[in-house]
Structures are given as C-alpha cells and as structure tokens.
Amino acid sequence: MTDFSSFTAPGIDALHPYVPGKPIEELERELGLSHTIKLASNENPLGPSPKGRDAAMEVLGDIHQYPDDSGFRLKKKLAARTGLQADRIVLGAGSSDVIDLVARTFLAPGSNAVFSRYSFAMYPIYTTAAGAQCRVAEALPPDHGEMPYGHDLEKMAAQVDENTRVVFIANPNNPTGTWLSKTALYGFLRELPAQIVVVLDEAYTEYVSEADFPNGVDWLDEFPNLMVTRTFSKIYGLAGLRVGYGMASRELIALVSRVRHPFNVSLPALAAAEAALDDRAFLDLSGDNNARGLAQLGSAFDAMGLAHIPSVGNFITVDMQQDAGQVYEELLAKGVIVRPVANYGLPRHLRITVGTADENQRVLQALEQVLAS
C-alpha cells in the first residue's frame, strides 16, 4: 500500500484534526442513555433564531439551484448594519472559513503567523496547512489578577518579526472566555507594521456587555490591514447552517476573495442569516439567558471551590483540580456532554457552554456527584 504521508505538504504529518464535541446520538447509543444534554460546542441552548429557521425552510424548494454566489442580499443588510459598503464584506461557511481564506492568501513557507497560547485550535491548523510557521506567544499567567490565561499583547508583539504575515486575535477568546479592552487592543494595532494582516475573531462579540469592550468595525478605516470576522453560529443559533463573514478594507476583501470557494454559503444559510439579523427579540432573549447562566455557573463554581477563568462568551472554563479527562468521562456516563480542553494545553480544565437554567443546574449536580465520588 502506498504511504501517502511521504507526499503531503510540509507540516501536514504533524497536524491533528480538529476534534468536535461528542454528538448526543452517538453517546446515547454507546451508553444506552436518554435525555442527554450537550454543553460542549458553544451552541445557543435556546435553539435557532425563529426568523432565521423559518426563512431557511421557505427556500428549501429551491435547493436544486445554486445560491447567489455574491451573497448580495445578506451583504446589503450587513452593510446597512455596520456602515460599511458591501464590497468590504466577504461571506464564508462560518467565520472559520473566512479565517482560512486569510491564511491561504497570506501565509506560505518562510512566513509565520503569531497567536496566543490557548487560542482557537484552528489557528495553528490553518497556519501549518499553508506551510507557514506558528509563533505562539505565552499567555498571561494563571495567577494574573485581572485576566488569567488571557492574551499577553507585549509577548505577542515580541513574537512578530520580518517574516510575520498574519496575527490572529480572538476577542473574546475561545476556549478561555478572556477578552481585551479597547485601549489595550488599539495600542497593539497601532504598533504593528502596516503590512501584517490582523484577524480579529469576534465570534462571541454579541454576548459581551463590558463597557470597555471594543467593536473592531470602528477601526477598519484606520487600519487597512485589519480583518474582523463574525459568525451566525453562536448567538443567532445557526451553527448547523455554517455562515459567517469578514469585514476589512476593499483591498483585503478583494485579495481573499480570489481563493474563496464558489457558492461557499448555501441557499438556506443565506436566507436564514439575512432574516436572523432582524430577530432582535431572540438576540435579547439569548443575551439575557447567557448573562444569567454565566452568573449561575460562576457562583456555583465559587461555592464548590473550583477556580474558573473570567469569561464574557457563552461558555466558562473551570479548573477541575485533577485530570479533567476522567471527570469528562464520568459526566458522559451521566448524560452530560462538556468539553475537555487538554488539546489547548489545559489538561485540568473543562469548558462548559452556558445552557438554560435547568441545563446549568443539571451539569452542576452531575459535577458535584462526580467530584464527591
């Protein structure tokens, strides 16, 4: 049999595929469970935007046709919401698709990308797949008074050299939930060389209510090298349809569009995203549920003596004070799916998505039972 691994592009043999959360159906089949809850993939526990769901269903009779490859209607509505022109927006199959476009456009052998320790797992995958080097900046220490495990911008800046082409920043960050303030992030952007593309990954931005939290769109005119990415997978509840977008200067959008796959966003996804943008009531309900859930989980972890990383996302990452893999397996046996994050370099932590109040209570009760056994 041919060993194809000897013919792969540089770095591919060292890559490990992204591992998604365990599906409910698979777990219930394996363990004979029912009524399982999944709080592992940062999905909206309230389901999809009703307006988005209805719009997707309305176009199902037309799925024999290709979607509008320009995404004209969705881009027009996004442009109206952001104050940008439509030609400064690119659509993707989730925001991760847009991030991949940037990597494939600007990264190559001999170049590098800079990102923080404990960042989104796809950054090193996209970088390595492009043949470029990963330069990982150490995060703030676990005992940092304000933002343990957060991005250390000074160390990130120190990783930048003449071969750096892309800097990835997630704000808020996954899997930690940590965030950067307007002042800190703006100062970092101002000091970077203008030829380095900065991807500001704002997948969870709609959940944030911090007063000093930045809106990357406000800086796009000042920084032509800035790409802001967002998604409909989180607060809008459209993760299964895969639709996101990037916003940047016309030059950046034109360049990444050259490597974009045609028809990369499906017809139902386009329709759902367009309609979901008008679902203000659902967004408010989702934001309120998340704020209450973060407080519910955080208070319970404090009472249990479990340290947790400060989060403004729709998840919270907590230190199990032991090998979290074993805790994860025991929670699975109780029909509770959360996310171990050893692959991020956090082997003692579990990331728990904020659910409904009842789901949060169930995971807390299960966790108390596991830790007491």
Side-chain angles (χ1 to χ4, degrees):
M1 181 177 293
T2 302
D3 179 12
F4 289 103
S5 64
S6 60
F7 299 102
T8 59
I12 298 299
D13 58 335
L15 278 178
H16 298 284
Y18 180 82
V19 180
K22 199 175 190 69
I24 290 177
E25 296 81 1
E26 181 181 345
L27 178 68
E28 292 186 338
R29 183 176 62 253
E30 287 179 359
L31 301 182
L33 298 171
S34 60
H35 307 295
T36 298
I37 60 170
K38 181 186 177 188
L39 299 177
S41 299
N42 301 343
E43 298 149 335
N44 191 327
L46 304 185
S49 152
K51 289 185 177 181
R53 178 198 59 217
D54 293 346
M57 294 180 67
E58 286 177 6
V59 301
L60 290 180
D62 297 323
I63 58 173
H64 61 293
Q65 299 176 334
Y66 286 109
D68 170 20
D69 191 45
S70 70
F72 173 79
R73 290 168 58 94
L74 178 54
K75 283 185 182 179
K76 182 179 179 181
K77 184 167 283 189
L78 286 169
R81 296 297 175 90
T82 60
L84 301 172
Q85 295 297 311
D87 59 359
R88 297 183 64 181
I89 301 171
V90 63
L91 303 180
S95 57
S96 57
D97 186 30
V98 179
I99 296 168
D100 185 34
L101 295 181
V102 174
R104 289 192 287 125
T105 302
F106 293 100
L107 294 175
S111 66
N112 68 66
V114 173
F115 48 89
S116 177
R117 183 82 62 191
Y118 316 125
S119 290
F120 182 37
M122 294 308 297
Y123 301 158
I125 290 177
Y126 293 148
T127 299
T128 305
Q133 178 191 11
C134 299
R135 293 180 65 89
V136 183
E138 291 302 325
L140 295 169
D143 59 356
H144 190 273
E146 296 181 1
M147 203 62 62
Y149 299 97
H151 285 40
D152 187 326
L153 293 177
E154 290 186 4
K155 289 185 178 178
M156 290 186 69
Q159 289 289 343
V160 172
D161 65 13
E162 66 276 9
N163 296 318
T164 302
R165 297 293 176 267
V166 179
V167 173
F168 295 113
I169 298 175
N171 199 37
N173 182 59
N174 172 33
T176 60
T178 52
W179 68 98
L180 294 164
S181 69
K182 292 178 185 176
T183 303
L185 184 53
Y186 180 77
F188 177 80
L189 293 174
R190 285 196 63 181
E191 296 301 317
L192 274 183
Q195 73 273 15
I196 296 176
V197 177
V198 179
V199 176
L200 182 56
D201 180 354
E202 294 187 339
Y204 300 92
T205 190
E206 292 90 355
Y207 284 110
V208 185
S209 59
E210 298 293 320
D212 195 31
F213 188 84
N215 177 354
V217 176
D218 294 340
W219 296 333
L220 289 175
D221 288 339
E222 183 173 355
F223 299 107
N225 60 327
L226 178 62
M227 171 75 77
V228 177
T229 63
R230 293 183 181 172
T231 186
F232 288 89
S233 296
K234 305 306 177 185
I235 200 168
Y236 291 96
L238 303 180
L241 287 177
R242 309 305 300 126
V243 54
Y245 57 104
M247 300 167 285
S249 63
R250 289 179 178 86
E251 179 186 11
L252 278 188
I253 294 298
L255 288 170
V256 300
S257 294
R258 296 179 184 183
V259 300
R260 182 183 64 86
H261 293 167
F263 311 111
N264 63 332
V265 181
S266 72
L267 180 65
L270 289 171
E274 181 188 349
L277 283 171
D278 292 328
D279 207 342
R280 187 70 254 174
F282 179 74
L283 264 64
D284 289 343
L285 186 65
S286 298
D288 290 344
N289 178 78
N290 194 68
R292 291 193 301 269
L294 280 175
Q296 178 186 7
L297 291 171
S299 295
F301 293 144
D302 289 340
M304 296 166 69
L306 297 175
H308 51 92
I309 303 173
S311 174
V312 291
N314 68 335
F315 56 89
I316 188 165
T317 299
V318 57
D319 187 348
M320 294 291 105
Q321 301 175 356
Q322 58 182 289
D323 176 19
Q326 182 61 38
V327 178
Y328 164 75
E329 294 292 342
E330 293 184 36
L331 287 174
L332 285 181
K334 295 181 178 296
V336 174
I337 309 174
V338 295
R339 188 62 178 268
V341 285
N343 60 313
Y344 286 94
L346 296 167
R348 296 180 7 144
H349 289 72
L350 293 176
R351 190 191 69 191
I352 301 174
T353 303
V354 174
T356 63
D358 288 344
E359 288 173 333
N360 297 335
Q361 189 58 37
R362 183 171 166 191
V363 73
L364 289 169
Q365 290 174 345
L367 186 57
E368 287 181 332
Q369 292 170 4
V370 167
L371 295 179
S373 62

